[in-house]
Every structure is written in C-alpha cells, then in structure tokens.
Amino acid sequence: CTSMNPMTWVAPHHMEIQQGNAITADNVARLKPGMTRAQVRFVLGSPMVADMFHADRWDYKYQLYQNGKEVKNLLFTVWFKGDALERFEGDALPSDKPTLTDASAPVVANKAP
Amino acid sequence: CASWFESSTGPKPTPLRDVATLQAIKPNWTASGLGNTAAGFTPVYDRGNVIAADKEGRIVVLDASTGRETARFDLKRELVSGVAVAADRLLVGTGSGSLLAVDRHTGKTLWEAPLTSVTLEAAQVGGEVAVVRTNDSRLTGLNVKDGSQLWSVGRLAPQLIVRDTGSMQVVGAEAVLVGMPAGKLVVASLSSGATLWEGVVANARGATELERVTDVVSRPVFNGNDVCAVAYQGRVACFEARTGNLAWAREVSSSRGIALDVKNVYVTGEDGSVSAFDRTSGRNVWKLDDLKNRNISGPVMLGRYVLVADAEGYAHLLSNESGAIVGRLRLDTEGWTGQPVSVGESVLIQGRNGRLSMLSLG
Amino acid sequence: CATTETYDETRGWSVEKLYAEAHDELNSGNYNRAVKLYETLEARYPYGRFAQQAQMDIAYAQYKDNEAALSITACDRFIKLHPTHPNLDYIYYLKGLVYFNDDSGLLGKWAGQDMSERDPKAQREAFLAFRELTVRYPDSRYAPDALDKMNKLVDALGGHEMHVARYYMKRGAYVAAVNRAQGVVKDYANTRYVEEALALSVEAYRRLGLTKLSDDNRRVLAATFPKSAYLQGKWAVEELPWWKFWK
Amino acid sequence: LSPFVIKDIRVEGLQRTEAGTVFNYLPIKVGDTFSDEKASQAIKSLYATGFFNDVRVEVRDDVVIVGVAERPVIAQLTINGAREFDKDQLKKTLKDNGLGESRIFDQGLLDGAIQELKRNYYSRGKYSVDVSAHTTKLERNRVAVTLDINEGVTAKIREIRVVGAKAFGQSDLLDQFSLTTGGWLSWITKDDQYSKQKLTGDLEKLRAWYQNQGYLEFNIDSTQVSISADKESIFLTVNVHEGARFTVGDLKIAGDLKVPEPELRKLLQVKTGDVFNREKINDTITAITERLGQDGYAFANVNVIPDVDRAKNVAGFTFYVDPGRKTYVRHITISGNTKTRDEVVRRELRQLEGAYYNGKNIKRSKERVELLGYFEDVNIETPAVPDSPDQVDMNVNLKERSTGTINAGLGYAQGDGLQLTASISQSNIFGSGKALSVSMSNSKVNKIAQIQFTDPYFTPDGVSLGYNLYHRSYTPDSINLSSYQTKSDGLSVSMGVPVTEYDRINYGLGFDQTKITTFSNSPQQYIDYVKKYGNKNNTLSGSVGWGRDTRDSALWPTRGYSVSASLDAGLPGGRVQFYRLSHNQQWFFPLSKTFTLAFNGEVGFVNGYGKTPTVPFFQNYYLGGIGSVRGYQSNTMGALDSNGDALGGTRKFVFNTEVLFPFPGMKDNKSVRLSAFFDAGSVWGNSTSGSQYPNRSSASNNVRYSIGGALTWLSPMGPLKFSYALPLKKKDGDKIERFQFTVGAAF
C-alpha cells in the first residue's frame, strides 16, 4: 500500500539535469559539407559526446530534465570522412531572437521606450 | 616592543655659546598684527612700503622706515603664499588654486585667474607679466592687467618631490630663474615662457625614491654674469648667466637658500652649517658649525656681513671673510618663513607668528 | 625593551653531541625540537657527514610531523646540494611517502574507507614522485615498495573515476557518466575497472538514445570480457543495504 | 688555447661541498676534448649552482684544474633596531628569499634584502630609515651578518588638499580618504602615515564619490606627494577637474544578446532621467553578465559606450553585449577532501559535468557545500581547458574541518553529584556525510543513554531519514526544578523531503513511554496530575514541519535567512495528548565585509486536548540560558512553584539581536567569532496559584531582557559557545548566571 509508504507522501524536488550541447538552428544553418573538424567545432562548439570507438562521428546530444520530467531530448549527429564533414542530420533548439547574428554587424539601434 | 610615543630620534640642536659682539644689529622696528603664517609667506618691499600677508587672508601695508601700518585689508580667503606687487595691484595665491589680484589702495578684487594647482610661493612680477609656479611644477605667465593667461609650460615631476615654498627669482623684465625638481635650474623667458637654458645643479643618486630626491627648492641668485643655485641632497652650482655653462659645483645639501656677494657664495647647509665658496673657483673659503641643527634660515647679505635667523628667534651676523659670529640679536619672531629679504641697507624677517622685524647694522 | 635572547644551552656543544641529541629527540618523537637542533648543527658545522645526515633527518622529521610542504622543500634542497649522494633514492622515496600518506587512520581502515574516494590530486603527485624514484634508481632497495604503491595509486585513481561515473549514472547525468567511463577505459586501461566502465557506457548510451554507440560498446565489452556478468543483465546502480549505513 | 683531450680533472679549494657534487654540475668529463668554449661553460654552470664566490679554470699538461672559492655559510643573522616590524617575522621573510642561518651567504641577496627592507619601511611612511649591514668573518668559512636599522622619525601627513573642488567642501571630500592628518586614534591606526597603496585606494574612493553623484567627466589631473626637508612631514595635493553634473539620457542594449531584450531591460539598475551614478552602471553590467553566465556564456562581457551631450549635460548609454562562446564544463575535480568521500560533496553541486556553464548554479553549489558544515574553507575556480576555447574545468578546493565532538567527562557538579558523561557525535561519520551521535551520561539528576543517526541522502535527491533511540531518567529535586522523577524511553523516526531548492518538509513518528514518580515535597500540580492520569504515560508522537534555508553557510552565516514552522503532537492513540506549534526565524544581513547583523526569533505554543486537557509538565517550555535568554540560569524563567523551582510554561517567545564580527587581529580566521547581543524572551501560561511569587503568570511580567557579549569557537572538539550577559530589570525570584558556556551544542 503505497499510501502508507511515507516516501510518497510528499514528492521530492529533483535537481534540474541539463546535459550535452545546446546548439541552435542558426548554428546548424551555417554548417556546410566539406568543412574541416576545426570549422565544425567553431560553428557548433566542442561535442560533449565523442565516442572513442567512433572517431568519424560527433553526437551533439542535448537533454533537459526539470523536476524529474523530460523537457528536451534532442540529437544532432555529424559524420566525417577523414577531416572533411561528410553529412549531418538531427534537430536542434530553436534559435534565440536573431537581434544580431554577426557580431561585426553595425550596432542596430533599437529605440528604447 | 614598538614604543607608542615615537620620540624623534633626530639630533639635538647645539647650545649657543655667547660671543663678543663686534658688530651690533639694530632692530629698526617690529610690527605684529598678522595671524600665523607658513613657509612661503615672505614679505615684499615696494617703493617705501613693506607688504605682507597671512594664512587667513589679512594683508598689511607698512611704512618701510617706521613700520607703521598704512593700510590693512582682510580678503577673508584662505591664502597659501605671500604677496607680490605689480604696479597698483597686489597678487596673492588662494587655497582653491587661483591667483587673486586686489587693488593696492582699496583692497577691492580686480580679477581671479584659475590655475591647475595651488601656488606655494608668491608670484614673481616682471613688467606686464606675473609668473606663478604651481605645485604640479608648471610655470604660468599671466597678464597683470586682466589676469588672462599668456603662456603655460608643464613639466613632468618625479613621484616624490620636496616641499618647495620659494625657488623663483625674476631677473629684470625678460627672464626668470626657477629651481625645479630633480636638481634642474630653468631660466625661462618672461614673455613667452620658452626655456632659455636649463642647468643641472645635481644628479639623482641612491637606490630608493627618497635618496634620489635632489630638488632645487631655494631661490637661485644672479649677479650680472653668474647664476648660482643649490639643490637639496645635491650640490651648489654656479653657471655662466649668458650661456648656461657650468662654472663649478661643490657637494652640499640645502633647502634653505643661497646668497652672493662680490667675493663668495654663501650657503646654509641642511644640517645647519653655513659655508662660503669662492665665487669664481668654488673653493671652500670657510665653514661655520657652531649653529648646527638649530634650523638655520637661508643667508642674506647685510652690508659686508652675512645674516641668518634660527628657529628660536635669534638673528646671527657672520663675518664674510672668516664666517665667525660677530653679532647676535634676540627677536621675538618664532622661526622664519623663508630667506630674509634684503631691503637697501637693512633686512626684513617675517616670523611664523606673523611678526615682521626690520634689522640694520648698529 | 629588547627581549633578551633565549638562553641557548647548545652553546659550545660539539657536532657529535648536537647530532646525538637531535637524533634522540627524533626517535623519541618530538620532531619540532629535533628539527631545531638539526638546523643549529647545520648552521654551526656546515661540513662533513653530520651536516648531510642532518639535512636528511630534517626532511624525515618534517614528514613525521605531518608538515608535508616543509618536508618536500627539505628534500628538494638536499637533492640540489648533494646530487650524487649515495642514498639519494631514499630522499625520492620520502617525497613519494609525503604525498602518499593516506591518513585514513584507525577508524578509516576498519570502516573500509578506501583511497579511491579521496583527494585525487595528492595521489597523482605521489605517483609522479615514486615514478621518478623507480626511473632514476631502478635497483634501489625502495624501488619494489614504490612500484607496489604506484599500482595501488593507479588503482585508486581509476577507482576515483569509476566512483564519479557511478554517481552521475545515479544522478541521471548520462553524458557526464559516459565521458568519465570512457576516461577510465582510455587512461586506466590496465586496471580492474575497464569491464565495469564499458558496461556503464553501454547503459548510458542506451539511456541517451544512442543505440548504435550502445551496441558497438557492447560488442567491444563482449570481445574483451567474454564471460562478463554485465553481458547477461545490464549495468545497474548498486543498491546499498540500509544497515551498511557507514558506506 | 688549442683544444686537447682531457686526461684528468682535479678540483681544488673544496671545504664543504664534495667533489662528486662539483663533477655532477661540470659539463665536461675525462676524455672530452677541452676548448675555451667548454671552459667558459664550466665556469658558468658552477656559478649557477650559487655555491661558489669564485671559479677559475687552469690547464696543466692536459689536466684541467678547477679552482673554486666556496661561499661562506651564514652562521648567525642578527637584526637590531627593528621596532616597526617584529624581529622574528623579519627573519622569516629574509629566510624565505635565501638569507637565513645555515644558508649560503651571497652578497647580492644581502643587498636585495636591504632594498626590500627599505621598501617595506617606506610603505609604512618611515622615509628617514637607514639600514646598514655588515658581515664579520668566522672560522670554518662561515660569516655572521648583522643588520642595524635606525628607523628614524615617521613622516606624518601634515596637509591633504583637494584643489579645484567646487561642488563639495574639503571636509566632505577628506571623509572619503583613509589617510588623514592625524586624529587622536592615529597612534594606533597610523592613518596619518603616508603609503602609496593607501593613496591610490583613496583616489579611487574620491573618483567613486564624484562619479556616483553625477560627475561623469570627473578627472584627477595630477597628485603631488611632497616631503618636508627634515623628512618629518608629508603634504598631499590632489588637483581635480569636476566637470558638469550629468543626468542619464536614453539607454540602449545592443550586440548579440542571446537573451530576450525585455529580460535584460529589467536588469537595468539605472533609469533615464536619474542623476548619473557609475556604481549603478557597474551593477547593471554585473547583473547582465551574471544573467548571461546562467546560459553558458562564462566569458560574456558588457562594455558601456556613453554618448555625452555637453549642452544639456545629459549622457545616453549603450550597453554593448558580447556574449563570447557558449562554454561547457568538462571535468569537475574535488580536492582537499582528505576525509570526506567525493560523492558527499559532488551530490551537493548544482553544476554537472557535460553541461553548459551556469554561474548561478556554481554560486549555489558553493553555498550548499558550505551548508554541509564539514569544511573550513570552500572555493570554486573555473580555469579554461588549455586547447579548447569553449570548455572549462571546475575545481572545488576544500579545507577539511573536524566535524566530530568527542567529549568524555568525569565531573562533580555542586548540585548534580558525580557526573560521568561520554558522548561521541560525528556529523560526517567516516566521511560518509551521515551523522551519528552516541551519548551516555549519568549523574544524580540525569541518566541519559541516546543514539541518533541521520542519513541526509537516503535517496539521490536528498530525502533524509533519521532514527532516534533514547532512555532518560530525570530526578531534578536538587537543582532548581521542582522535585519529581520521570523515566522515559522512546524511539522516533523522521524524514525530510526537499520540495524546492531551498525548502524542506519534515515529518516523523515516534513512541515515548514516561513513568512519573512524585514525592512528598513535589509541587501540588504534579501530584494532582499523577493522581488524575496515573504515572505511566505512553505518547504516540507525530510531527510535521516546513523549513526554508537560504543562508550562505552553516558555520559562518553572513547573508540569507532560515525559517521553519512545525507542529508536533501527542496523537489520540497515546495516553498523553497535546499539540505544540512552534515557529523560528533567523535572518543574517552583511553590514560590512566582516560584520554581520543577525536576528533570531522563536515562538512556541503548546496545548493539551482530549484525555489530557492540561499540558503535561514534562512537555512544558523552559526558558533561560544559551539558546534563549542569556544571563538567566538555564530553565529558570517563568512561573515558580512553592519552593521556588521553575514550572516552565505553555507559551513562549524569544527574540535575539546580535552583531557578529571576527576576533580583532584574526580577520580571515574562520573559527572564532565574537558578538554583541540583546536577548528578550518570556514563558508563561502556567497557573501560579500557591506560589510565593504570584505575579509571574502573564506574558508581560514574565518577559526578561539581557545584553552582553558572546564568543563562538569552532574548536576541533566541537563548537564552544561562551557568553557573558547582564540581565536588565531583574525581578525577585530570578536566578542570574552571568557567565555561561556550552560545549558541542548544535550550531
């Protein structure tokens, strides 16, 4: 009888678990096959999951659990042939508001109220 | 164990031995009526009047012969240095870092020129130009009439400088001799401020910041063809006035001052000794040690004699040939505010308590 | 009020007396007094065998007095002063001991507190110090014990990585767990944890939904550890019985 | 010198170093070809060892002769005349850079040491110091070094002048300075002694003073430090240019925001139209960088570009956000934990490996590890990983503190008879993070045997489980409680569940059996109770409570609060039926870097119901002593019975205000803390019929106040608390105890 089991009277708070690379759609948009590993690393960031037995693929896994419930569970994988990016597939987080994609663009004066 | 009440471990002043007065000093007159002053408040003589000021902003004009007060103003402004006279106006340096001009007769403010810092010595006036040296070692020339700035020359001062309350001496109407930090003697043109020549009185020596201080903090002297100056922790040096070439230099440290007569150059050392050097060769003619550690002022010529004042209010008269003390007079001016001022045949001293006294040979 | 210089009873002692006195203090355990006496000896008679022996004993005394930093500096100074000293290997061994000193103490041993759960940085430095000894003086009489301690250290370091991996699995942070597990397989290949590390990776990849990686790791596990228990069931968080409360 | 093959190498002039050492450092061996170049190499390498004053290389028919003169050893180093710095401290600093007894003497080191000494003296304003060293030769190539220091007079600051200041008076400005021209406390604080660092600090404070009040373009043109010729007085002149007083124009946020702009706008601490305040601008910058730090942008930076309109004296600001790269945490290394297990610390960390960097989580991690109370010092650093720009490691460096209190005592207390106490409590048993306390004590008054055990992490999320087993017999006829005897045995289980990052719900069940025996001189109340309810009382107790704790550390709280409310009751099943409501609040406010203001409030209310309408006396509140109102003997406040013993009460409130500060002189030592306090408290709600002191029943006349000082020392044997309190408005019947202390009390 679970009701008697004191463990379940009050649901404990689970710490937020966030794992892996939070890559966004605008990062993925800048990927082009043939890029070197360094370029991919610059665009997407260093992969958190790079299995030692699969040197030719990087897995940009993203998991987010808030209070025990799964909120996000995405995977974006890139394959290399040697040092060149061969193909990539998977889904990524929506890109945050494109106020400024390129840091070097002139300052966009969005008028404050 | 750190003793809480730090007793000063400086050397003790040497007691005075009484001496036969071969030449008496006559006190013409003594005047009080001013508040206390500080170094840099030397009085000034101008066309029969003696003008002096004090820290609280009071200025008195006295008759040079009798010492009677002919005028008195109270500017109610904090002053940081003495009075300078330019035709009919008096120039004083204020505590808020400006030069103030007041009418000589009415004391009404004529103009006030802001400066980059406070001026610790009275302005020097040459013709239409008043030169001020501000605490940041900058020389500025102002038009005496309206206080407008004619020129201003800055100078990079070392981190640590010695408190300089009087190292300018205007020469005629076209140049001014200025003692500067790091042992430099600058001769600048009054009209443009350009440096005519610059002499090195002493070079910095030693490892620590304090040992390397060799500022010229006393008034240079000029006698037509020689310019001499003395540096603190440095040397006394004489230069050819026209070219600025070094004639000779001797080791002595002084922040008190230097005097010149036709034969010798007289210097009060930092340790209270008074020495004389031959004007042409710099040979050390004599050295008086009897007044050591009595906080002796810079020397001034009184007739053929050399006069110095000490912290306890004594004036000593020394023979210029041998340096022996030939006369002594007890004044009641506590200490002195700078080198005594020679006024014709007599000498004017202003004490820290504001008292003025005019002395001449008895 | 100059404080008077404390009366120095060692004034006028011969070097032999100083050394004997210091040695007794060392053996009777008050290391502080011993170090002071040795230093006076070194200052007064800086020559000959006694001075060298004094420097060695200072290093040993500091070690026994749990002054790790002072002991290391004393050792380094000895190495610089006497690079060709016959028993320099002892000094290297002592350096290793200073870092290695697992002060698990009496209770620790009884309660099975093992080193793999303690500060890895000190253990890494101990490993390096012992390795320097075994490389420079392979046939020194301290070498065998050093080698044994090195193995224990490697095992402890491997164990440390494994502990962290297990924690992250329990916590549900599977990326962290798999990276730590792969670290064990890569850097501590010759320790006993490789099998569990591979099994953990298989489970972690499965939880991450990377089935391809999970299967490949499983094949590697099967190839290297054919009889592994993890092949039957999957890796699971080890549940502790409640009565083992001290674990 | 024509090169030749070396037949033999001989070393001459050795006294202290052995030949082996010299050969080891010589770059040449027998059989090498010897040349000039090799000779100079040999000389250079021998010099490098620092053992030798002079090295000569000669050649005589293919034999290389190396002549060396060994540097003497310092046999004795004496310093005299050092008053400003303590002599041994000086010796230690000199020994650290190579100049000490039994070290090799090197003239270069000596000169360096003298300069260093002078520089230290200058930093203390002792400008006319004079340090002279002379070495005297001793036999056996040794040397005695004496350093004579004449400290001379300290240069004191005579005048500080800020030139060009129109907006503020000199006195306001000089208040900002730590340097002064000497007040009556200067002989201790020495704040009238010039030091370069203090001046730089003061100039910064002056700039902040101006720029926080609108003077955007305030500038310090130049500062002069001039010394009088007699080196006894220092004059400081600061020439400033104030500029106009600006108000804030429009504010823009630009750059690659990564966070929706309205959210960043909310972080702006400065509004259009305010008077310009640099501090608020800096606070805005920190707020924005911290906000970005929560989304993985560890190296974000914000630079502010003002556009100044001098005509209207208005300055608009653009906050240009440069987030840098999203950074991930690769490895988290915990070091310094010699006793505590790695997982015990790791489970408190809110930042995970393989996750992106989150500044808020890292800050919370530090707080949680400090709340464990096992560590004296916790600091977290996040160095970048060398070859990958978007990864950092996280190092948690700890300094262990002994968390056990072992005290065994054999004492004889005046009223208490022979006392044998032994208790071992360890809040981190074998480093497992679990707390176990076994205590046994028997004296005439108290016979207690108790085992308590708590596992804070029964589940990975931190649900805690605790057991408590006790036997207590209590015969208080000798000390100040009225005479009766209670024997109680009990067992309780309690659980705590974290419901949010800061809140916990605790609940528990317990069973207690208390047997009461009363004597002829027991107070009437107790006798009636036993007559009415019998002497065997079984209580089935249940409790439920809520707690929220945002303090930044358990041992040394400086900020945050800890609030808790709980209801525990004797449930209907048991013989004794009562319910008790209690609420506790603790607040901490940082007054300065080292001073903390603490408030603590407690309210308690207990009532009987059902079978036992009046509250059983052994469930009463007793007040007094450390933990409630200091200065009164423990448990003696409130109503008194016929022979003056305390009866306790059913209602209580306690209120303490305390200012906590470090022990003077031990600024950064985290184990001793002083405090000045004001306590107030009252216990009431018990009938005082028949007692000599009738007017001790209502809350108002039972309230007592006290002020005093206290010292808390987190000693290796456990936290010790000493307090000295002066009760205010003492009433008759109060029992005063000015000095009180407790050992191992729960913190």
Side-chain angles (χ1 to χ4, degrees), chain D residues 230-369:
Chain D
D230 58 16
K231 301 183 187 171
E232 285 188 0
S233 321
I234 298 251
F235 304 84
L236 300 181
T237 319
V238 182
N239 312 312
V240 298
H241 162 72
E242 285 178 341
R245 199 171 144 87
F246 280 80
T247 53
V248 177
D250 53 8
L251 299 161
K252 292 195 281 296
I253 302 180
D256 182 357
L257 301 192
K258 299 289 182 192
V259 163
E261 189 182 336
E263 196 176 334
L264 285 186
R265 251 192 194 296
K266 277 207 288 309
L267 299 174
L268 286 180
Q269 317 265 336
V270 66
K271 299 191 302 307
T272 311
D274 288 358
V275 170
F276 164 72
N277 179 333
R278 169 140 334 254
E279 204 171 348
K280 289 224 179 70
I281 301 275
N282 293 343
D283 293 349
T284 309
I285 292 178
T286 341
I288 296 180
T289 16
E290 255 165 27
R291 176 62 192 79
L292 284 165
Q294 289 169 26
D295 288 357
Y297 298 98
F299 305 109
N301 68 51
V302 176
N303 24 46
V304 182
I305 306 153
D307 59 44
V308 180
D309 166 356
R310 285 195 177 68
K312 297 203 285 299
N313 283 347
V314 167
F317 292 94
T318 312
F319 292 88
Y320 192 84
V321 175
D322 159 22
R325 296 179 61 84
K326 202 166 182 88
T327 320
Y328 294 86
V329 173
R330 185 181 62 146
H331 266 167
I332 298 182
T333 321
I334 296 175
S335 69
N337 50 337
T338 49
K339 201 154 67 68
T340 311
R341 284 176 54 221
D342 181 277
E343 183 177 338
V344 169
V345 178
R346 199 174 290 274
R347 65 188 178 198
E348 295 297 334
L349 301 184
R350 287 308 164 225
Q351 172 73 42
L352 294 168
E353 287 180 356
Y356 58 72
Y357 171 96
N358 180 327
K360 194 151 86 68
N361 281 357
I362 291 178
K363 200 148 154 284
R364 180 58 187 154
S365 302
K366 178 172 189 322
E367 263 170 31
R368 283 191 74 103
V369 172

Side-chain angles (χ1 to χ4, degrees), chain D residues 80 93 139 255 708:
Chain D
N80 26 44
T93 31
E139 83 291 358

Side-chain angles (χ1 to χ4, degrees), chain B residues 288-350:
Chain B
L288 171 71
D289 285 331
D290 299 1
L291 301 173
K292 263 202 164 176
N293 301 322
R294 291 187 60 77
N295 194 352
I296 298 295
S297 78
V300 68
M301 301 314 296
L302 179 55
R304 345 187 239 91
Y305 297 98
V306 177
L307 183 132
V308 286
D310 74 10
E312 280 162 23
Y314 282 93
H316 307 273
L317 206 60
L318 317 178
S319 129
N320 63 356
E321 276 101 15
S322 70
I325 304 178
V326 291
R328 173 176 295 142
L329 174 69
R330 180 100 173 75
L331 309 166
D332 52 12
T333 59
E334 280 153 28
W336 39 271
T337 61
Q339 249 175 311
V341 179
S342 88
V343 175
E345 280 310 309
S346 38
V347 155
L348 183 63
I349 294 184
Q350 178 163 19

Side-chain angles (χ1 to χ4, degrees), chain B residues 2-348:
Chain B
S3 71
W4 296 114
F5 305 98
E6 263 148 354
S7 62
S8 104
T9 53
K12 297 286 167 292
T14 37
L16 280 185
R17 280 183 297 97
D18 46 27
V19 83
T21 45
L22 305 172
Q23 169 55 51
I25 312 175
K26 181 161 71 61
N28 296 6
W29 47 263
T30 328
S32 58
L34 280 175
N36 47 37
T37 59
F41 277 81
T42 44
V44 69
Y45 171 78
D46 175 78
R47 288 169 297 201
N49 297 89
V50 165
I51 305 162
D54 71 9
K55 274 205 257 184
E56 281 82 25
R58 283 184 286 277
I59 297 182
V60 283
V61 181
L62 312 169
D63 175 293
S65 46
T66 65
R68 222 177 12 73
E69 228 182 67
T70 58
R72 160 185 286 271
F73 317 114
D74 187 344
L75 308 181
K76 295 192 183 60
R77 285 285 294 274
E78 182 208 7
L79 298 185
V80 278
S81 51
V83 185
V85 179
D88 61 349
R89 47 203 64 197
L90 308 178
L91 310 176
V92 278
T94 67
S96 52
S98 67
L99 187 66
L100 180 66
V102 291
D103 179 278
R104 176 184 180 138
H105 305 295
T106 63
K108 196 163 62 53
T109 309
L110 301 173
W111 46 261
E112 180 167 2
L115 300 168
T116 56
S117 181
V118 278
T119 68
L120 293 183
E121 66 175 288
Q124 293 270 326
V125 177
E128 287 304 308
V129 176
V131 184
V132 281
R133 180 183 60 78
T134 43
N135 194 19
D136 50 5
S137 310
R138 170 178 285 273
L139 279 180
T140 314
L142 303 167
N143 180 328
V144 170
K145 266 198 290 313
D146 54 11
S148 61
Q149 181 172 313
L150 302 171
W151 47 268
S152 179
V153 175
R155 196 179 181 82
L156 196 54
Q159 268 284 335
L160 184 66
I161 53 175
V162 179
R163 180 107 168 143
D164 175 354
T165 55
S167 70
M168 281 201 301
Q169 179 57 57
V170 84
V171 171
E174 57 309 339
V176 63
L177 317 171
V178 188
M180 278 293 183
K184 295 289 191 313
L185 169 63
V186 169
V187 180
S189 132
L190 269 182
S191 50
S192 70
T195 309
L196 303 177
W197 53 266
E198 187 175 310
V200 175
V201 176
N203 293 317
R205 293 193 310 278
T208 62
E209 212 181 337
L210 187 64
E211 283 160 0
R212 299 186 64 77
V213 165
T214 56
D215 302 359
V216 176
V217 283
S218 49
R219 245 177 260 293
V221 284
F222 167 69
N223 69 350
N225 48 31
D226 288 326
V227 171
C228 298
V230 68
Y232 173 70
Q233 284 188 165
R235 309 182 303 189
V236 57
C238 281
F239 303 84
E240 261 174 42
R242 248 188 324 64
T243 61
N245 299 347
L246 178 65
W248 53 269
R250 284 291 176 281
E251 281 297 319
V252 76
S253 156
S254 165
S255 67
R256 311 299 162 89
I258 185 171
L260 193 62
D261 70 4
V262 79
K263 261 166 55 19
N264 298 335
V265 171
Y266 306 96
V267 178
T268 308
E270 204 50 40
D271 56 3
S273 63
V274 186
S275 358
F277 301 91
D278 178 79
R279 194 170 56 75
T280 48
S281 69
R283 185 176 51 76
N284 184 332
V285 179
W286 47 263
K287 184 177 189 213
L288 171 71
D289 285 331
D290 299 1
L291 301 173
K292 263 202 164 176
N293 301 322
R294 291 187 60 77
N295 194 352
I296 298 295
S297 78
V300 68
M301 301 314 296
L302 179 55
R304 345 187 239 91
Y305 297 98
V306 177
L307 183 132
V308 286
D310 74 10
E312 280 162 23
Y314 282 93
H316 307 273
L317 206 60
L318 317 178
S319 129
N320 63 356
E321 276 101 15
S322 70
I325 304 178
V326 291
R328 173 176 295 142
L329 174 69
R330 180 100 173 75
L331 309 166
D332 52 12
T333 59
E334 280 153 28
W336 39 271
T337 61
Q339 249 175 311
V341 179
S342 88
V343 175
E345 280 310 309
S346 38
V347 155
L348 183 63

Side-chain angles (χ1 to χ4, degrees), chain D residues 14-32:
Chain D
L14 280 184
Q15 280 178 327
R16 189 177 59 252
T17 13
E18 314 111 51
T21 315
V22 176
F23 283 116
N24 175 61
Y25 286 106
L26 267 180
I28 48 174
K29 291 194 299 309
V30 170
D32 292 1

